[in-house]
């Protein structure tokens, strides 16, 4: 029997992939949209009411493939199904890679009445694939270093080839120091004709990277004040680029750089990968100079970068690792190689990383942050990335693991007394939250809290007791909040709560629960403590400073009208 039309529509609304239905008018200006589902709105940022009756070309832009779009038009004219990929544009202007299929719908007479497009955002999938390829390129350089018998020029050439592939740059160069100049020793891509080129250390961005021994990123040489010879840079096609010094054992041998004729061509991940490649080349140069024979016995990974880099096989045993492991765990690399992960990290740390490692060994790219207590090396806040190593038959042979120590960065975000976010970090979080609220038209509520008569607590009981009260107040507040709420210490005895997705009435209810929780149980040595709270709901388009000012005025009202209350 025929299913009711409403059931078809409900089914389309709950499909996770974006669905677009157009009419069949192929002649210019082309088909018009007659239906999109919710997944289309989420993927593109356009509301249904904004796209009905207009052409799907609204999603296209400069990066959209004209070749693919022409093939789509040809297939539609022929009345056959189409599949393809191209870059599209969301309403906010951001670009995403879309894979889609278009199928003609015919009536009983065989005439095409509509086209149905099924669309999927595959940007993240392709980025994960690209990251795996990048890490494999770095590892291939490292493998080649230990099997090349110090054929230094081949090392240089392999590095620039890989740097080009890793970053999608137009050109890659190895420039080594010679007196007061940097000389191009290996070139690739658009720099092919520049072998032997000489740059003054004192007047070039390459020289600045060499002198400071820092990775530098230039987003636009036309406006970057560090680029002294702007015309010369533009002449060779250097508009944006990354420059990584070749440093080993505090000796700088030169610079590895990539560049593009387009501005803003590189990101922070490109910088990290180039740093890895430059470390490999620096180690080879160190070898060639015979400063130390120890480095020649390294097998796969070099030691010139501070993050942990390793290869873990399918049985979860370390096969290769860099010297950072020796520094973190106070053990030489030879004692780690071949051991199981839990033997090196300790059982508690292993239980933290185990689910992420298992995912990677099942074929997923994994990126996560965690607080890990290692068997040796203490407790650290880490950012980790695992990339599966696929064999030609599709099976996973192991995992490339890169671990960054984020402890200092995390500590900089937290209030030293309470362990919750500090004011600077809160400003970053609320700024991002307001952008999200603007995009999805969601409410946001802000609450300012102040401990009543706190000066009397300090004066009578002392600052140590006062600090304990502040810590316990923060703990009680945290216990009342949702996972999506954010608490920060605003200063002294003041706190602030960000609550996305709730309106002012719900914000008042949350504030009342917090107020009652604080006052429900006496504090040791002090007795009962109360708080006053000011609540304000964000208006679309309102600045952060205005929102905070209104919440602060509401708090002042609560203090002036008796304390231990919530005001709006």
């Amino acid at each position: 029997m025929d299913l009711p039309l409403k059931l078809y529509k409900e089914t389309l609304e709950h499909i996770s992939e974006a669905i677009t239905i157009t009419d069949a008018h192929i002649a210019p200006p082309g088909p018009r949209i007659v239906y999109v589902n919710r997944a289309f709105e989420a993927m593109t940022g356009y509301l249904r009411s904004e796209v009905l009756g207009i052409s799907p070309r609204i999603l296209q832009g400069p990066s959209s493939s004209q070749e693919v779009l022409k093939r789509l038009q040809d297939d539609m004219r022929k009345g056959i199904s189409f599949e393809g990929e191209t870059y599209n544009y969301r309403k906010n202007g951001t670009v995403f890679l879309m894979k889609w299929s278009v199928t003609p719908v015919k009536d009983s007479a065989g005439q095409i009445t509509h086209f149905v497009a099924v669309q999927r955002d595959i940007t993240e999938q392709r980025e994960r694939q690209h990251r795996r390829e990048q890490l494999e390129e770095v590892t291939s350089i490292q493998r080649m270093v230990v099997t090349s018998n110090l054929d230094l020029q081949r090392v240089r050439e392999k590095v620039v080839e890989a740097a080009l592939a890793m970053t999608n740059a137009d050109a890659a160069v190895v420039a080594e120091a010679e007196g007061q100049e940097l000389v191009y020793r290996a070139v690739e891509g658009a720099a092919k004709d520049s072998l032997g080129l000489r740059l003054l250390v004192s007047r070039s961005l390459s020289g600045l990277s060499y002198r400071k021994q820092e990775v530098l990123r230039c987003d636009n040489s036309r406006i970057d004040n560090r680029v002294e010879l702007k015309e010369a840079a533009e002449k060779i096609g250097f508009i944006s680029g990354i420059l990584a010094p070749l440093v080993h054992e505090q000796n700088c041998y030169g610079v590895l750089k990539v560049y593009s004729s387009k501005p803003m061509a590189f990101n922070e991940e490109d910088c990290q990968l180039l740093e890895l490649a430059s470390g490999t080349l620096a180690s080879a140069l160190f070898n060639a100079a015979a400063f130390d024979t120890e480095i020649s016995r390294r097998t796969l990974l070099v030691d010139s970068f501070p993050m942990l880099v390793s290869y873990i096989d399918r049985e979860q045993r370390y096969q290769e690792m860099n010297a950072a492991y020796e520094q973190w765990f106070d053990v030489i690399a030879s004692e780690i190689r071949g051991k199981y992960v839990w033997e090196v990290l300790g059982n508690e740390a292993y239980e933290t990383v185990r689910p992420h490692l298992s995912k990677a060994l099942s074929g997923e790219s994994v990126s996560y942050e965690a607080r890990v207590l290692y068997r040796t090396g203490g407790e650290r806040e880490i950012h980790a990335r695992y990339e599966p190593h696929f064999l030609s038959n599709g099976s996973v042979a192991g995992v490339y693991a890169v671990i960054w120590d984020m402890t200092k960065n995390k500590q900089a975000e937290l209030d030293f007394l309470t362990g919750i976010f500090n004011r600077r970090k809160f400003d970053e979080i609320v700024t991002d939250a307001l952008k999200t609220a603007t995009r999805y038209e969601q409410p946001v509520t802000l609450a300012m809290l102040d401990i009543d008569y706190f000066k009397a607590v300090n004066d009578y009981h002392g600052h140590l007791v006062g600090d304990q009260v502040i810590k316990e107040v923060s703990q009680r507040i945290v216990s009342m909040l949702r996972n999506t709420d954010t608490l920060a210490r605003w200063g002294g005895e003041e706190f602030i709560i960000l609550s996305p997705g709730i309106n002012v009435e719900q914000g008042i209810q949350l504030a009342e629960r917090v107020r009652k929780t604080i006052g429900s149980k006496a504090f040791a040595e002090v007795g009962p403590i109360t708080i006053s709270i000011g609540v304000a709901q964000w208006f679309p388009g309102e600045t952060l400073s205005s929102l905070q000012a209104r919440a602060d005025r509401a708090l002042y009202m609560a203090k002036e009208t008796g304390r231990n209350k919530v005001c709006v």
Side-chain angles (χ1 to χ4, degrees):
M1 66 175 181
D2 291 333
L3 297 175
L5 179 61
K6 182 179 180 182
L7 181 58
Y8 283 118
K9 293 185 69 174
E10 282 298 314
T11 302
L12 291 176
E13 287 300 312
H14 289 87
I15 289 177
S16 60
E17 293 178 317
I19 304 294
T20 304
I21 300 177
T22 68
D23 59 31
H25 298 296
I26 299 177
R32 301 290 179 173
I33 296 173
V34 298
Y35 170 82
V36 296
N37 66 351
R38 293 172 187 163
F40 175 94
E41 293 179 314
M43 183 177 73
T44 68
Y46 286 100
L47 298 176
R48 187 173 306 174
S49 58
E50 295 176 304
V51 298
L52 291 181
I54 65 175
S55 169
R57 289 194 181 96
I58 191 173
L59 300 179
Q60 297 167 17
S63 296
S64 301
S65 171
Q66 295 305 309
E67 180 182 347
V68 173
L69 295 174
K70 184 180 183 304
R71 185 162 59 85
L72 167 64
Q73 293 168 358
D74 292 342
D75 288 353
M76 292 174 72
R77 289 192 185 96
K78 295 174 185 176
I80 61 176
S81 296
F82 162 87
E83 287 188 359
E85 297 176 8
T86 190
Y87 285 100
N88 274 355
Y89 290 76
R90 298 184 179 88
K91 182 180 178 181
N92 63 7
T94 57
V95 182
F96 67 101
L97 182 60
M98 186 184 76
K99 181 175 184 177
W100 89 112
S101 61
V102 180
T103 305
V105 178
K106 300 179 181 179
D107 60 18
S108 57
Q111 296 297 311
I112 298 175
T113 61
H114 296 85
F115 290 97
V116 177
V118 181
Q119 302 148 314
R120 183 156 53 95
D121 181 355
I122 61 170
T123 310
E124 185 176 347
Q125 174 186 333
R126 287 301 164 84
E127 287 177 348
R128 288 198 301 267
Q129 178 183 342
H130 183 54
R131 286 197 296 269
R132 284 196 296 270
E133 293 169 351
Q134 290 172 322
L135 286 173
E136 288 171 357
E137 285 285 355
V138 172
T139 304
S140 71
I141 299 172
Q142 296 163 339
R143 185 178 295 110
M144 188 272 300
V145 167
V146 299
T147 59
S148 63
N149 295 320
L150 291 181
D151 180 356
L152 186 56
Q153 185 56 27
R154 181 65 188 128
V155 173
R156 292 171 178 142
E157 292 168 356
K158 181 64 177 175
V159 167
V160 292
E161 289 170 10
L164 206 62
M166 283 189 297
T167 60
N168 293 319
D170 295 335
V173 173
V174 169
E176 294 174 18
E178 188 176 294
Q180 298 302 310
E181 296 177 318
L182 290 170
V183 184
Y184 283 18
R185 298 297 190 195
V187 293
E188 190 62 42
K192 272 285 192 183
D193 298 330
S194 301
L195 191 65
L197 180 69
R198 293 175 176 269
L199 303 175
L200 284 173
V201 171
S202 60
R203 299 196 64 191
S204 63
L205 195 58
S206 299
L208 181 62
S209 175
Y210 171 76
R211 296 196 312 271
K212 298 183 72 173
Q213 296 189 17
E214 292 179 5
V215 177
L216 302 180
R217 188 174 89 193
C218 172
D219 291 330
N220 192 334
S221 64
R222 298 184 181 108
I223 58 175
D224 193 324
N225 292 331
R226 298 172 300 177
V227 180
E228 185 174 344
L229 304 174
K230 290 181 167 53
E231 290 184 6
E234 188 157 1
K235 184 177 180 180
I236 65 169
F238 187 107
I239 301 302
S240 61
I242 303 172
L243 305 99
L246 302 171
V247 179
H248 187 84
E249 297 289 336
Q250 298 181 340
N251 293 300
C252 188
Y253 302 96
V255 171
L256 170 64
K257 73 176 179 180
V258 295
Y259 59 87
S260 170
S261 59
K262 299 177 182 178
M264 307 288 290
F266 306 100
N267 56 32
E268 191 58 35
E269 186 172 70
D270 293 325
C271 290
Q272 294 170 0
L273 287 162
L274 204 69
E275 186 176 7
L276 295 180
S278 69
T280 298
L281 181 56
S283 295
L285 289 168
F286 175 80
N287 255 353
F291 285 120
D292 196 329
T293 58
E294 171 65 20
I295 193 68
S296 64
R297 292 192 290 270
R298 302 295 181 186
T299 57
L300 185 59
L301 300 178
V302 295
D303 306 329
S304 56
F305 30 91
M307 68 284 290
L308 299 182
V309 182
S310 64
Y311 181 82
I312 302 169
D313 68 18
R314 188 153 187 86
E315 283 70 44
Q316 300 191 27
R317 290 177 298 192
Y318 287 104
Q319 294 299 332
E320 297 296 343
M321 72 292 302
N322 67 336
Y325 274 84
E326 298 181 351
Q327 298 164 8
W328 277 40
F329 301 113
D330 194 26
V331 61
I332 61 174
S334 61
E335 294 182 7
I336 299 176
R337 195 172 292 113
K339 286 191 174 182
Y340 290 100
V341 173
W342 55 84
E343 294 179 291
V344 177
L345 305 187
N347 290 331
E348 185 171 346
Y350 175 69
E351 286 305 313
T352 302
V353 307
R354 180 177 57 81
H356 307 291
L357 183 56
S358 297
K359 274 188 178 181
L361 287 169
S362 69
E364 294 186 39
S365 293
V366 178
S367 180
Y368 68 94
E369 292 187 0
R371 179 177 295 176
V372 181
L373 179 60
Y374 292 102
R375 181 173 61 84
T376 59
E379 186 176 61
R380 299 177 187 244
E381 294 275 359
I382 66 163
H383 174 78
R385 193 171 78 214
Y386 299 151
E387 294 292 342
H389 172 210
F390 291 99
L391 298 177
S392 58
N393 62 6
S395 63
V396 178
V399 169
Y400 302 101
V402 183
I403 315 293
W404 287 269
D405 186 355
M406 305 296 291
T407 307
K408 291 182 179 179
N409 292 353
K410 288 294 183 181
Q411 289 172 344
E413 298 174 352
L414 302 180
D415 173 60
F416 72 96
L417 177 62
T418 61
I420 61 177
F421 287 126
N422 59 26
R423 184 167 180 168
R424 180 180 62 81
K425 181 61 178 176
F426 183 84
D427 279 345
E428 293 178 14
I429 293 172
V430 73
T431 299
D432 289 341
L434 294 186
K435 289 179 182 177
T436 300
T438 301
R439 186 179 306 128
Y440 297 107
E441 299 181 354
Q442 296 174 338
V444 175
T445 300
L446 205 67
M448 300 282 289
L449 300 77
D450 186 90
I451 301 175
D452 295 330
Y453 302 109
F454 185 73
K455 184 176 183 301
V457 172
N458 276 339
D459 290 346
Y460 188 78
H461 297 281
H463 288 278
L464 291 179
V465 173
D467 286 349
Q468 189 57 41
V469 169
I470 289 174
K471 289 171 65 176
E472 189 170 343
V473 166
S474 70
Q475 291 165 3
R476 292 192 191 183
I477 296 173
V478 167
S479 70
M480 297 299 299
L481 300 183
R482 308 169 303 160
N483 289 337
T484 53
D485 296 327
T486 300
L487 173 68
R489 187 179 179 195
W490 198 242
E493 67 272 22
E494 280 192 309
F495 298 87
I496 189 166
I497 300 173
L498 170 70
S499 297
I502 68 173
N503 59 30
V504 69
E505 290 79 12
Q506 295 165 318
I508 293 171
Q509 294 172 7
L510 175 62
E512 283 290 357
R513 290 197 299 272
V514 170
R515 184 187 65 82
K516 291 176 181 177
T517 296
I518 298 300
S520 63
K521 182 181 177 182
F523 288 70
E525 298 186 47
V526 176
I529 290 288
T530 64
I531 60 172
S532 300
I533 306 177
V535 178
Q537 180 177 329
W538 172 72
F539 294 120
E542 183 180 18
T543 64
L544 173 58
S545 59
S546 171
L547 174 62
Q548 291 171 342
R550 290 196 297 109
D552 196 50
R553 288 199 298 273
L555 173 61
Y556 180 79
M557 186 189 307
K559 303 285 280 188
E560 289 296 301
T561 56
R563 292 182 171 84
N564 191 21
K565 64 193 320 185
V566 176
C567 286
V568 183

